[in-house]
Amino acid sequence: MGRQIPGGVHQVQFGTSPIPFEVIYTSRQTLAISVYPDGTVVVKAPTSTPLEIMEEAVVRRGAWILKQQRQFKMLERPAVPPRTYVSGETHRFLGRQYRLKVVESTIVRVIRSRNDLRVEIPIPTDTFAVQQQLDAWFLAQAERIFAERLTHCFARVAHWDVEKPVLRIRPMKARWGSLTPKGTLTLHQKLIQAPVELIDYVIYHELCHLREMNHKTAFYTLLDQVLPDWRDLQHQLNIYEFL
C-alpha cells in the first residue's frame, strides 16, 4: 500500500486520454468517483486511501468517465449555425468535407463528386426542397453504409454464437449508438459524417454488449480482443467536430 497524499489534483493516463482528477478526503467508508458538468472528475475517498488505489479506480472507470465528459460536452457544445442550404455551404460525409452546389434541373437528384455535393432541383431557390433532398440522400447513404459496416464487423464476432442485431438509424441526444437486450442496434444518423473507422468503433462497442451488457471489466477485455486500438478511436470520436 502506498503513502496517503494530500488532496488536490492528480492525473492518470487512460489509453491516449489523460484524466485529471481532484482528491477530496472525507469520513466516508468507501471511494466514490463523480464527473461534474464542467468535466471535472472528483474522487472522494476515506482518509487512509493511498494514491495508487485511487489511480487504479480512475483507470478502471476511465471509459465511463470519458463517456460522461463527452455527454456533458455535447450538451454544452455551441449550436451549429442554422443551415441555409445554398451553394457554398460545407457538409461532411465519411470524414471529408464537401461543398454544396445547387443547380437548376428538371431531374431531382443528389450527386457526390470529388469535392462537391450537387443537388439538382427545378427551383434552386427553394431551400426547403434542397434540404429535403439532401437529408434523404444522407439517410440513404447511412442506411447503406451502416448496414455494410455492421455486416463487416459482425463477421468478426459471429463465432460468439449470437444473433446479428437489427439496425435502426435515428437522431440521438447524447450517444452514438445503443443496443437493446432484444438485439436492436441503433446508430446516430449523424455518424455518417465520421470516417469509417469511427463508425466501426461504435459498432464494435455495441456488438460487445451482445455478450456483456454492462461496462465492467469483462466488457473492456472483450473490446480489447476485437478492437485493440479502441481507446485511440474513442479519443478521435470524442474530439471529432460534427457539423
Side-chain angles (χ1 to χ4, degrees):
M1 301 290 284
R3 178 176 61 87
Q4 178 187 333
I5 45 85
V9 178
H10 304 271
Q11 181 171 292
V12 296
Q13 191 73 20
F14 183 77
T16 60
S17 301
I19 302 180
F21 63 95
E22 180 181 354
V23 173
I24 298 177
Y25 285 108
T26 70
S27 59
R28 60 180 295 124
Q29 300 300 308
T30 58
L31 184 148
I33 300 175
S34 301
V35 181
Y36 292 91
D38 65 354
T40 300
V41 180
V42 174
V43 177
K44 295 181 180 179
T47 54
S48 60
T49 307
L51 175 61
E52 295 93 322
I53 297 298
M54 289 181 278
E55 289 177 334
E56 291 172 1
V58 173
V59 170
R60 283 198 305 272
R61 301 295 302 280
W64 173 81
I65 290 169
L66 293 177
K67 179 180 178 181
Q68 295 298 111
Q69 291 176 329
R70 182 174 71 249
Q71 290 178 345
F72 282 130
K73 186 176 180 181
M74 289 176 66
L75 292 173
E76 295 178 355
R77 186 175 294 171
V80 176
R83 296 286 192 183
T84 56
Y85 295 94
V86 297
S87 293
E89 273 190 338
T90 297
H91 292 260
R92 192 166 282 157
F93 176 67
L94 294 181
R96 287 193 57 195
Q97 289 192 6
Y98 293 84
R99 288 290 179 185
L100 177 62
K101 282 190 175 181
V102 184
V103 298
E104 183 176 351
S105 173
T106 56
I107 301 175
V108 179
R109 59 185 177 180
V110 178
I111 301 173
R112 177 171 64 97
S113 64
R114 183 174 181 178
N115 298 309
D116 303 316
L117 284 175
R118 177 185 175 101
V119 178
E120 298 182 355
I121 199 164
I123 307 176
T125 55
D126 187 347
T127 55
F128 179 70
V130 174
Q131 177 183 355
Q132 285 186 312
Q133 293 303 316
L134 204 55
D135 287 349
W137 184 86
F138 272 111
L139 181 57
Q141 299 305 308
E143 289 172 345
R144 176 180 63 84
I145 292 169
F146 291 174
E148 290 174 355
R149 300 320 300 169
L150 174 58
T151 297
H152 171 83
C153 296
F154 185 77
R156 195 166 182 177
V157 305
H159 65 279
W160 292 347
D161 194 26
V162 292
E163 294 289 332
K164 183 179 177 181
V166 176
L167 178 63
R168 290 181 58 207
I169 302 169
R170 66 176 180 83
M172 304 179 79
K173 288 185 177 180
R175 304 175 73 178
W176 295 115
S178 67
L179 184 77
T180 68
K182 292 185 177 181
T184 297
L185 169 64
T186 302
L187 296 178
H188 195 325
Q189 65 185 40
K190 262 189 134 176
L191 200 57
I192 195 62
Q193 294 185 23
V196 169
E197 58 267 25
L198 299 187
I199 297 172
D200 284 359
Y201 158 68
V202 175
I203 293 174
Y204 277 123
H205 181 107
E206 299 306 329
L207 287 178
C208 286
H209 284 309
L210 291 171
R211 292 189 63 179
E212 300 290 339
M213 285 303 295
N214 53 44
H215 287 105
K216 294 184 179 179
T217 302
F219 171 84
Y220 292 107
T221 299
L222 200 60
L223 190 55
D224 279 330
Q225 293 171 1
V226 299
L227 197 64
D229 60 344
W230 69 266
R231 291 175 180 84
D232 179 56
L233 295 169
Q234 180 189 63
H235 178 68
Q236 291 180 44
L237 183 61
N238 286 345
I239 64 174
Y240 194 79
E241 293 185 1
F242 288 83
L243 300 178

